[in-house]
Amino acid sequence: MHADSAEMKGVKARIVAFLPRLRRFCAVLARSEDRGDDLMQATVERALTRIDQWQPGTSLESWMFRIAQNIHIDEARSQARRGHTADIDEAVSLAGDDGRIIVEGRSELERARLAMAALPEEQRALMSLVVLDGRSYKEAAEILDIPIGTVMSRIARARQVIDRKLHGERKVDD
Amino acid sequence: MAKEKLMTDRAETIAAYLDGSLTGEELQRFETEMQADARLAADVRQWQANDKLLRAAFPLAKNGVDNAMLERLGLAEPKMPPVAAYDNRWNWGRIGLAGGAIAASLAVAMVLFQPEEEGLERDPQFQVAMESLPSGQSATLVGGDALRPVLTFRAGDGRFCREFSGEKTGGGIACRSGRLWTVEARSARGAATVDSGEIRTAAGSDPAALDAAMDRLGASDPLNAEKEILLISVGWKE
């Protein structure tokens, strides 16, 4: 695809319309808006330089979500090799013994953001795709390259964790 | 162990229900179960509320996507042609101005201010605004105008459409297809007024012109704010 072709302009217009969703996905993955923007930038750059690998007729958006996820994983691995651990998010240390986030003075929305940030990597990506972005299990499975059964179990576990973070542990049989 | 398995199955079923993955008999069975089991129904409601809270905590257009960012990403149109150079044939047919000096002056004002459809659609900020801004919030177009979605409705053919309004752009309707927003109608912009010797164009739309377009499109009633935010959040997918 030539950089100035009408086809390329169409692709760029689609990417622009998709940017807000990509930006949100990246911010959730990276657990911060700044790092998320870096991830988004890297994703768009890679998509534009490898646009020939995208097959028209398939979802450009799913392809870009997958690129973002791959870049994020690569980055996390390379940080680990360099001896950096991923940022221990404030959210984790804010969790009380009963799993509830100690949030005096914090708004409900902040609590929700912290609960999301406290999720493990793979659950965070799924929650972002399914709950925030409304992707189906099948689409999410394709984007993250995991079986659909794994999507179902991970999304259920993630929701259990979020529920505990927001409302505390509940008795099972009352 | 059996209890744990039961809990896991139950969590997966609630999640699948909320995510629209239960269909047919499974869905029916689960809904019947919920009616009989108040605790289950309460759990479903609570998880549903959690989802809603999460979507509110991660709104789509929290900071917008500004032009500087688009340039950095290599997605901005390098230079927009000067607005005055736009061809305005489309609007001439609808404006239908009577002759006379004032009308001629108004026409010049409109030519100066109103970009052609393709120009508006190609403005990346127009696409971002239509895709991600709740009605009532405004974004600055690359061309400099502040534009806001006014309301959202569903066309008879199933597409989502939004009425928009801009100080210079005037009013219009754009519908979403192929993940892009295409302008379907533009109003002639409300009556122009002469104020202190200067011709000023009224901001906003000409409701009558847009009403006709809505009739043509088979518009539904406007969607409420909650439904609109949900659709924005999920990329206009139902």
Side-chain angles (χ1 to χ4, degrees):
Chain A
M1 210 179 288
H2 191 272
D4 295 327
S5 68
E7 206 181 351
M8 189 62 192
K9 282 183 180 163
V11 166
K12 282 189 177 181
R14 269 180 75 171
I15 293 176
V16 168
F18 171 58
L19 273 187
R21 288 165 58 205
L22 179 66
R23 191 180 201 189
R24 176 178 57 188
F25 180 67
C26 290
V28 171
L29 275 189
R31 290 171 157 164
S32 113
E33 286 177 6
D34 287 345
R35 288 195 301 268
D37 279 354
D38 291 343
L39 177 58
M40 177 179 73
Q41 184 160 354
T43 303
V44 172
E45 278 168 11
R46 189 175 290 186
L48 290 176
T49 54
R50 298 185 185 179
I51 196 65
D52 290 334
Q53 293 175 12
W54 168 64
Q55 297 173 329
T58 62
S59 167
L60 178 70
E61 292 74 15
S62 291
W63 182 65
M64 291 186 68
F65 275 139
R66 191 156 50 241
I67 292 175
Q69 164 80 356
N70 289 340
I71 293 176
H72 179 65
I73 290 172
D74 289 349
E75 178 63 19
R77 282 181 188 149
S78 95
Q79 279 193 359
R81 285 191 199 106
R82 290 200 301 268
H84 288 280
T85 48
D87 285 352
I88 302 300
D89 217 270
E90 202 191 358
V92 179
S93 60
L94 284 167
D97 292 339
D98 64 352
R100 188 165 25 197
I101 296 169
I102 299 167
V103 283
E104 254 177 70
R106 286 182 187 272
S107 73
E108 259 198 323
L109 296 180
E110 281 176 290
R111 292 171 56 204
R113 282 192 281 272
L114 291 171
M116 186 75 125
L119 288 178
E121 200 77 46
E122 68 279 2
Q123 290 180 13
R124 221 164 52 242
L126 259 181
M127 286 295 281
S128 181
L129 288 173
V130 174
V131 175
L132 301 184
D133 205 72
R135 297 306 94 198
S136 68
Y137 286 177
K138 184 168 174 284
E139 287 170 308
E142 284 167 5
I143 290 166
L144 300 176
D145 197 20
I146 52 177
I148 207 158
T150 309
V151 170
M152 293 179 73
S153 55
R154 274 187 194 165
I155 205 86
R157 273 205 301 279
R159 278 203 173 94
Q160 285 175 309
V161 174
I162 293 275
D163 193 59
R164 274 201 299 276
K165 298 280 180 206
L166 293 175
H167 306 288
E169 196 76 64
R170 284 184 304 167
K171 287 177 188 168
V172 175
D173 289 313
D174 51 4
Chain B
M1 283 299 279
K3 191 184 276 181
E4 266 177 38
K5 171 84 171 62
L6 198 69
M7 290 291 292
T8 305
D9 288 349
R10 184 173 157 118
E12 283 186 20
T13 312
I14 298 176
Y17 172 72
L18 294 177
D19 297 328
S21 285
L22 286 189
T23 52
E25 278 182 26
E26 272 184 323
L27 176 63
Q28 235 171 4
R29 201 164 45 236
F30 186 73
E31 285 179 340
T32 309
E33 205 183 327
M34 265 199 300
Q35 282 171 3
D37 184 345
R39 175 63 191 270
L40 174 64
D43 282 350
V44 171
R45 277 198 302 276
Q46 182 157 309
W47 281 25
Q48 209 162 24
N50 293 346
D51 284 358
K52 197 174 164 189
L53 185 63
L54 285 174
R55 282 193 285 266
F58 294 93
L60 206 50
K62 190 161 174 257
N63 300 314
V65 178
D66 60 22
N67 292 328
M69 177 176 284
L70 290 180
E71 278 174 26
R72 222 168 32 245
L73 296 171
L75 293 170
E77 288 286 320
K79 266 186 190 154
M80 297 296 283
V83 175
Y86 282 139
D87 179 5
N88 200 34
R89 277 170 299 183
W90 191 93
N91 281 308
W92 277 107
R94 283 162 174 76
I95 292 168
L97 288 170
I102 291 177
S105 303
L106 291 179
V108 169
M110 286 173 180
V111 171
L112 285 173
F113 285 122
Q114 219 158 344
E116 66 177 351
E117 301 319 311
E118 198 189 336
L120 184 58
E121 287 164 11
R122 276 176 47 207
D123 188 320
Q125 294 297 355
F126 175 75
Q127 292 293 334
V128 170
M130 290 296 106
E131 185 78 4
S132 60
L133 272 192
S135 293
Q137 293 184 19
S138 65
T140 305
L141 300 181
V142 174
D145 193 16
L147 181 133
R148 68 186 164 89
V150 175
L151 56 85
T152 302
F153 62 90
R154 189 116 196 217
D157 60 11
R159 288 179 300 163
F160 288 107
C161 302
R162 308 192 78 184
E163 182 182 333
F164 58 85
S165 174
E167 190 74 25
K168 296 172 188 167
T169 313
I173 294 170
C175 294
R176 190 179 195 272
S177 52
R179 295 185 175 81
L180 288 176
W181 293 85
T182 309
V183 175
E184 292 280 339
R186 292 284 290 276
S187 73
R189 218 166 45 233
T193 55
V194 178
D195 183 17
S196 312
E198 285 181 4
I199 295 172
R200 298 175 57 187
T201 49
S205 55
D206 169 6
L210 296 185
D211 283 349
M214 285 186 184
D215 288 346
R216 176 173 59 78
L217 287 164
S220 69
D221 287 341
L223 304 182
N224 65 31
E226 193 180 353
K227 173 82 177 161
E228 185 186 88
I229 284 172
L230 182 65
L231 282 167
I232 288 171
S233 176
V234 302
W236 299 92
K237 188 186 166 194
E238 285 207 294

